[in-house]
Amino acid sequence: MNVSLLCDWFQDWGNAIKNGLGQTGLIIMLVVLGSLALLITWNILKASLGKTKVKILWGQIVLLIIIILFLAWFFTLV
């Protein structure tokens, strides 16, 4: 698969999201995703610091990475 074709697909999808939500909708999505990322980070820190044995929550870490990638993508749309 051609990389530029994939980048064009993401650009077209981003433009469709921006046209559908508008500028205000994108800002609201950024605030919601940012708050969700902070809550997940707080939960990971609370779970790992509250115990003597550090427990790694892989599912929450993967979810946090996905949310951060969406945040970065929405920031490029604004």
Side-chain angles (χ1 to χ4, degrees):
M1 181 177 223
N2 193 356
V3 175
S4 64
L5 181 62
L6 183 63
C7 290
D8 288 341
W9 182 77
F10 276 116
Q11 185 67 36
D12 291 341
W13 195 32
N15 288 336
I17 290 172
K18 186 175 182 179
N19 291 338
L21 292 177
Q23 193 76 13
T24 306
L26 279 177
I27 293 172
I28 291 171
M29 286 294 293
L30 285 171
V31 169
V32 168
L33 287 174
S35 300
L36 185 62
L38 287 175
L39 284 173
I40 292 173
T41 304
W42 174 252
N43 193 19
I44 291 171
L45 289 174
K46 186 174 68 171
S48 64
L49 294 176
K51 299 180 171 116
T52 56
K53 183 179 178 185
V54 176
K55 183 178 179 183
I56 299 173
L57 305 171
W58 292 109
Q60 288 184 349
I61 292 173
V62 169
L63 184 64
L64 181 63
I65 291 170
I66 291 170
I67 289 173
I68 289 173
L69 289 174
F70 272 113
L71 270 173
W73 185 38
F74 283 147
F75 269 122
T76 60
L77 295 177
V78 174

